[in-house]
Amino acid sequence: MFRVTIRGTFEELGEDEREALRTAVDSAQVAFTEAGTFTCDRSLSAFTFRCQVPAGPDDGEPEATERAVAALAAHGYPHRILRVGVTDMRHIKIRRKGGRG
């Protein structure tokens, strides 16, 4: 599983798009989902898009980035990507609290 964070700016949003985004942002929880979630301020100038991408055995950051960008594009809002961050959850080590008994 990959978690991808895309930071970008919206470009030339129409009033209907602005209203739909405001509604979505007001009702959405910040989470990594396969469809992706937006967070942004009320001015709708910049955004953060969080997406969770399933990982195949040979998948790496390029494949995860490509799928996350496709999920972002599927929302249909005109945008410009500024930065992409990818975390491969297969490499995350979880440290358990407590000592050995």
Side-chain angles (χ1 to χ4, degrees):
M1 185 70 59
F2 291 96
R3 288 189 170 176
V4 183
T5 304
I6 300 174
R7 289 182 171 53
T9 58
F10 291 113
E11 296 184 333
E12 301 180 29
L13 292 172
E15 196 52 44
D16 290 342
E17 292 170 316
R18 288 181 173 282
E19 192 55 40
L21 265 171
R22 283 189 187 105
T23 301
V25 168
D26 287 344
S27 64
Q29 295 180 358
V30 176
F32 286 90
T33 65
E34 288 192 27
T37 58
F38 286 99
T39 54
C40 55
D41 61 10
R42 296 294 293 170
S43 71
L44 302 178
S45 56
F47 67 86
T48 299
F49 182 76
R50 291 172 179 81
C51 187
Q52 186 164 292
V53 178
D58 296 328
D59 288 345
E61 287 187 21
E63 292 83 7
T65 299
E66 183 178 312
R67 290 185 198 128
V69 168
L72 171 61
H75 286 274
Y77 301 115
H79 63 276
R80 183 173 57 128
I81 295 173
L82 301 176
R83 188 173 39 216
V84 177
V86 179
T87 301
D88 187 341
M89 300 305 289
R90 298 173 294 186
H91 298 142
I92 300 296
K93 304 273 189 259
I94 298 175
R95 300 179 94 184
R96 304 278 183 215
K97 275 185 139 178
R100 292 185 175 150

